[in-house]
C-alpha cells in the first residue's frame, strides 16, 4: 500500500509524564478530527498533558493516543491508511459491518503502528469515551479501567447510525456519543474540574442548520424500536447550537478555554484528500501554538 509521500515531516516522539490538572473535552467529526490530532500533538510537544480526557467519536479515538503519549501517531495513521479498505471501505464493511474497520484499527493496526496500551492502562490520566444508550437516548461515559473494555467503549462512541452497527456494552446497544451530546463540556465542571479545555472541530461561528424537514425517514424506520434514541438524535442539532453559544460565552468569560479552527472549514467528515487532511492537522497545530501562552495562563502553568 502506498504511503503518504511527505509523512516524515510530521513530528514523532513520546510525551513527557508531566500532568496538568484539568479536563480536555474532544469533539468528534470523523476526519475533521484531524484538526484535533494537530492540537494534541502540539500540546504533548509542549508538555501539556491534562489529567482528564473526555472524547466523543473521533475525539475519543484521538484521546486514546493523547493518553498513550505517542506524538505523531494519529496523523501517520490517518494519512497512511485513509484509503486502506481495511481501515475504511469494502473490507471494513465485510469484516465489521460498518464503514470503519474497528477490527483492524483496534487489532492489527495497533501492532503495525505500535500503540502503547500499557501506558494507557497505567497512566494517571483519566480517559472517558462518551456513547449514546440506544434504549434511553442518554449520553453515558465509560472510563478506562472500569467495568467495560475501554476499546469497545471507544468503538461505540464512534459508531455512526446507518453506516455502522451498534456496539453492545453490558448487553445494551450504543451508538456514537454525538447522537445525544456532541460536545459534553458540562461533564467536566459537574465532576469537579475547575479548568476545562474544549477542542472543537468547527469554526467558532459554525452552527447546525435547523431548517430541515426533520429526522431522516430511514433512521426513524430502522431504529423504531428505540424511540428515546430517535428523540435524542432529533434534538441533537439544536442542543449543539445552544452548547456552542454557551461555550463561546464561557470562553469569553475565562471560565473554559476553547481551541477551534481559526478559519471556517470546507472539509467533509469523510474527506479523502490526504493533502487537505494534512493541512487540517497543520491548522490544529498552528492554532494551538498561537494560543499557547493564553492556554498556559488559563491553566496556571
Amino acid at each position: 500500500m502506498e504511503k503518504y509521500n511527505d509523512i516524515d515531516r510530521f513530528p514523532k516522539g513520546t510525551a513527557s509524564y508531566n500532568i496538568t490538572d484539568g479536563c480536555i473535552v474532544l469533539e468528534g467529526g470523523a476526519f475533521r478530527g484531524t484538526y484535533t490530532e494537530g492540537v494534541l500533538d502540539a500540546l504533548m510537544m509542549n508538555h501539556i498533558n491534562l489529567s482528564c480526557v473526555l472524547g466523543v467519536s473521533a475525539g475519543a479515538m484521538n484521546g486514546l493516543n493523547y493518553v498513550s503519549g505517542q506524538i505523531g501517531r494519529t496523523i501517520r495513521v490517518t494519512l497512511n491508511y485513509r484509503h486502506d479498505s481495511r481501515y475504511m471501505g469494502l473490507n471494513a464493511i465485510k469484516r465489521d459491518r460498518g464503514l470503519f474497520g474497528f477490527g483492524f484499527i483496534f487489532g492489527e493496526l495497533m501492532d503495525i503502528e505500535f500503540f502503547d496500551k500499557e501506558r494507557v492502562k497505567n497512566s494517571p490520566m483519566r480517559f472517558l469515551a462518551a456513547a449514546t444508550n440506544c434504549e434511553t437516548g442518554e449520553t453515558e461515559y465509560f472510563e478506562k479501567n472500569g467495568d467495560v473494555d475501554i476499546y469497545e467503549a471507544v468503538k461505540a462512541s464512534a459508531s455512526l447510525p446507518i453506516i455502522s452497527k451498534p456496539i453492545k456494552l453490558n448487553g445494551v446497544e450504543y451508538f456514537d456519543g454525538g447522537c445525544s451530546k456532541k460536545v459534553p463540556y458540562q461533564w467536566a465542571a459537574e465532576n469537579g474540574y475547575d479548568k476545562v479545555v474544549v477542542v472543537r472541530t468547527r469554526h467558532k461561528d459554525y452552527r447546525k442548520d435547523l431548517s430541515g424537514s426533520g429526522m431522516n425517514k430511514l433512521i426513524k424506520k430502522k431504529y423504531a424500536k428505540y424511540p428515546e434514541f430517535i428523540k435524542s438524535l432529533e434534538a441533537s442539532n439544536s442542543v449543539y447550537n445552544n452548547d456552542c453559544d454557551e461555550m463561546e460565552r464561557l470562553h469569553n468569560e475565562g471560565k473554559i478555554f476553547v481551541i477551534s479552527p481559526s478559519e471556517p472549514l470546507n472539509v467533509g467528515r469523510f474527506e479523502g484528500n490526504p493533502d487537505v487532511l494534512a493541512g487540517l492537522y497543520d491548522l490544529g497545530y498552528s492554532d494551538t501554538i498561537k494560543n499557547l501562552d493564553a492556554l498556559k495562563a488559563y491553566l496556571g502553568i
Side-chain angles (χ1 to χ4, degrees):
M1 186 191 67
E2 185 177 350
K3 303 293 185 181
Y4 185 70
N5 59 14
D6 200 19
I7 200 70
D8 290 337
R9 77 172 178 84
F10 297 101
K12 291 182 180 180
T14 303
S16 71
Y17 287 87
N18 295 347
I19 302 295
T20 299
D21 287 339
C23 182
I24 188 166
V25 181
L26 309 174
E27 183 177 4
F31 285 103
R32 283 194 295 271
T34 309
Y35 176 86
T36 304
E37 296 170 10
V39 172
L40 297 180
D41 279 355
L43 293 179
M44 287 190 283
M45 291 185 73
N46 286 277
H47 311 294
I48 301 176
N49 307 298
L50 277 295
S51 59
C52 181
V53 184
L54 169 57
V56 179
S57 195
M61 297 181 73
N62 286 329
L64 274 176
N65 285 272
Y66 182 53
V67 179
S68 77
Q70 293 174 267
I71 299 167
R73 181 182 183 274
T74 50
I75 189 61
R76 291 196 303 274
V77 167
T78 297
L79 295 181
N80 283 336
Y81 294 90
R82 168 63 182 84
H83 293 289
D84 187 319
S85 68
R86 297 171 297 174
Y87 182 87
M88 178 182 177
L90 185 60
N91 283 338
I93 293 170
K94 288 179 178 178
R95 177 174 176 174
D96 296 293
R97 291 174 50 214
L99 188 60
F100 290 96
F102 291 135
F104 174 67
I105 293 168
F106 292 98
E108 300 102 296
L109 187 56
M110 284 189 163
D111 294 323
I112 299 169
E113 294 282 353
F114 172 70
F115 179 78
D116 196 343
K117 283 188 173 183
E118 285 301 308
R119 179 160 176 172
V120 171
K121 180 180 178 181
N122 297 320
S123 172
M125 297 168 70
R126 296 180 69 186
F127 173 74
L128 301 98
T132 302
N133 184 314
C134 290
E135 294 179 1
T136 66
E138 297 294 322
T139 312
E140 294 185 15
Y141 303 92
F142 299 92
E143 187 162 5
K144 76 179 176 87
N145 302 329
D147 63 351
V148 168
D149 183 304
I150 193 60
Y151 299 99
E152 290 300 306
V154 172
K155 292 177 188 178
S157 181
S159 291
L160 295 166
I162 301 297
I163 64 173
S164 301
K165 66 177 181 179
I167 301 295
K168 280 191 176 182
L169 306 174
N170 290 334
V172 178
E173 292 188 326
Y174 287 82
F175 268 127
D176 194 300
C179 294
S180 52
K181 193 70 171 174
K182 300 184 189 305
V183 193
Y185 65 96
Q186 298 97 331
W187 181 94
E190 291 167 358
N191 284 271
Y193 291 96
D194 295 325
K195 301 298 183 180
V196 182
V197 178
V198 178
V199 181
R200 295 194 56 196
T201 55
R202 289 287 199 179
H203 185 266
K204 67 182 182 64
D205 294 334
Y206 175 81
R207 299 295 184 270
K208 296 285 187 180
D209 183 2
L210 304 180
S211 63
S213 58
M215 182 63 59
N216 183 294
K217 290 182 180 179
L218 177 59
I219 291 179
K220 283 189 172 183
K221 181 178 180 180
K222 187 172 181 63
Y223 305 113
K225 67 177 181 178
Y226 292 132
E228 296 304 317
F229 172 73
I230 290 174
K231 286 180 185 178
S232 287
L233 201 51
E234 286 182 312
S236 63
N237 285 351
S238 178
V239 170
Y240 176 77
N241 287 352
N242 291 335
D243 283 346
C244 289
D245 292 341
E246 181 70 2
M247 284 188 289
E248 187 171 3
R249 180 184 69 80
L250 292 171
H251 174 79
N252 291 336
E253 293 176 356
K255 295 178 179 177
I256 68 173
F257 196 97
V258 180
I259 300 173
S260 61
S262 55
E263 57 191 59
L265 301 182
N266 185 25
V267 179
R269 63 167 55 189
F270 303 126
E271 177 62 56
N273 186 323
D275 292 324
V276 170
L277 294 173
L280 191 54
Y281 172 94
D282 292 338
L283 182 65
Y285 191 97
S286 63
D287 282 350
T288 305
I289 297 301
K290 289 174 184 175
N291 284 285
L292 198 59
D293 288 344
L295 176 60
K296 286 182 175 180
Y298 170 75
L299 293 171
I301 56 177

